[in-house]
Amino acid sequence: MKRTLIQKSMMRSGTTVLRLILNKLFNEYRCFKDWDYRYDITPGKGAHSWEKISNKDSYLITTWRDPRDVVISFIRLYEDDFNNRNEPLISVESRIKFISRQWIIPTYWDIIQCENENENKIVLKYENWHEDFDYLFNILEKSFNGKINNEIRDLIKKEYSKESIKSIQSKYKDFHSWEDGTHIHGNHVGNGLSTWESVWTPSQVELANTELKHILNHWNNL
């Protein structure tokens, strides 16, 4: 009987790229013969929300990113939307609060609940794997008793490199449009690097640290 790997992720933490890689490894290349992979992209449900997962037949994988960089990523994606809103979301401070309270913190509690309810899990730190797919491949091999050969590793590294993702996303004008199948949005991927220290003032950093303290603690402890 096959078991199922289920993905849950903090938003803007490599969710789409991780989904594409896992689908290739588990469902297409069948590197792990006793396992299938499932991911739900239904808006409002899917990978960023809680669901009851059977410990007997399932395994959970989650990925987290420095939440301050998650905020920066959201600001980059939705800058035009924020500028066109009637609400006072022009200042960086207002955007930090809005993004933290409306999007990041609710998702955090959902994903934490999934982690707390499941003993069988892999908890990833985005910063460890987004530029080092071999790090991810090695963890998967160890956890699921399979082999990802060098040919498959090289194919995935090429297909889902940042350069390849940016080539796909360049076809779409903004994050509100995307490619069917991959679900890669326009302007989806930046450079993936940490930038909050270089773009925020000390008071803005202090505000973000306060708003996101629970998530920062979780991320720091990974």
Side-chain angles (χ1 to χ4, degrees):
M1 178 179 177
K2 288 187 179 296
R3 300 175 69 189
T4 303
L5 175 64
I6 297 171
Q7 179 185 348
K8 296 290 177 180
S9 304
M10 168 56 62
M11 293 180 287
R12 309 302 305 151
S13 297
T15 306
T16 298
V17 174
L18 182 60
R19 169 177 62 85
L20 294 170
I21 291 172
L22 294 176
N23 186 60
K24 283 284 187 180
L25 294 175
F26 283 80
N27 298 340
E28 183 173 335
Y29 295 139
R30 309 303 306 177
C31 296
F32 308 99
K33 62 180 181 179
D34 297 326
W35 292 87
D36 290 319
Y37 164 70
R38 176 171 68 76
Y39 176 93
D40 185 356
I41 60 174
T42 305
K45 298 180 181 179
H48 307 312
S49 61
W50 174 87
E51 68 173 278
K52 181 64 178 177
I53 299 172
S54 168
N55 277 289
K56 179 180 178 181
D57 300 322
S58 302
Y59 212 100
L60 175 70
I61 186 167
T62 62
T63 183
W64 300 88
R65 182 183 185 184
D66 186 329
R68 294 162 295 195
D69 286 314
V70 174
V71 173
I72 293 287
S73 183
F74 271 123
I75 290 174
R76 175 180 65 84
L77 287 178
Y78 292 111
E79 182 172 7
D80 289 341
D81 291 356
F82 287 144
N83 290 339
N84 293 328
R85 280 176 176 263
N86 293 322
E87 296 92 343
L89 284 174
I90 301 301
S91 72
V92 172
E93 289 79 6
S94 66
R95 295 180 184 188
I96 290 172
K97 289 180 180 179
F98 178 85
I99 293 167
S100 298
R101 297 176 185 182
Q102 297 297 317
W103 294 334
I104 299 179
I105 293 173
T107 300
Y108 164 77
W109 288 115
D110 273 7
I111 307 306
I112 283 293
Q113 184 175 352
C114 288
E115 288 185 356
N116 289 341
E117 291 176 350
N118 287 274
E119 295 181 3
N120 302 320
K121 61 195 172 192
I122 297 172
V123 182
L124 298 171
K125 197 170 190 175
Y126 168 82
E127 289 78 4
N128 290 338
W129 68 266
H130 80 102
E131 291 192 311
D132 183 6
F133 288 170
D134 283 314
Y135 175 91
L136 173 63
F137 298 152
N138 294 340
I139 288 177
L140 294 173
E141 283 187 342
K142 183 177 179 180
S143 299
F144 298 107
N145 190 31
K147 179 66 176 177
I148 307 169
N149 63 43
N150 288 335
E151 181 181 3
I152 291 175
R153 287 178 181 238
D154 290 342
L155 285 171
I156 288 178
K157 289 174 188 177
K158 181 178 180 180
E159 187 169 2
Y160 300 124
S161 68
K162 285 190 172 57
E163 291 75 17
S164 295
I165 298 295
K166 288 180 178 179
S167 176
I168 294 172
Q169 73 185 25
S170 67
K171 303 171 187 176
Y172 304 93
K173 64 178 183 178
D174 56 34
F175 196 68
H176 299 296
S177 54
W178 58 85
E179 181 181 66
D180 291 336
T182 65
H183 218 70
I184 294 172
H185 296 247
N187 200 28
H188 199 141
V189 173
N191 60 24
L193 303 178
S194 181
T195 58
W196 60 268
E197 289 180 285
S198 63
V199 300
W200 284 344
T201 66
S203 63
Q204 290 165 350
V205 172
E206 183 178 1
L207 173 62
N209 288 346
T210 300
E211 290 285 327
L212 301 165
K213 61 182 178 180
H214 296 298
I215 309 170
L216 275 168
N217 286 337
H218 187 66
W219 174 80
N220 278 319
N221 288 327
L222 295 180

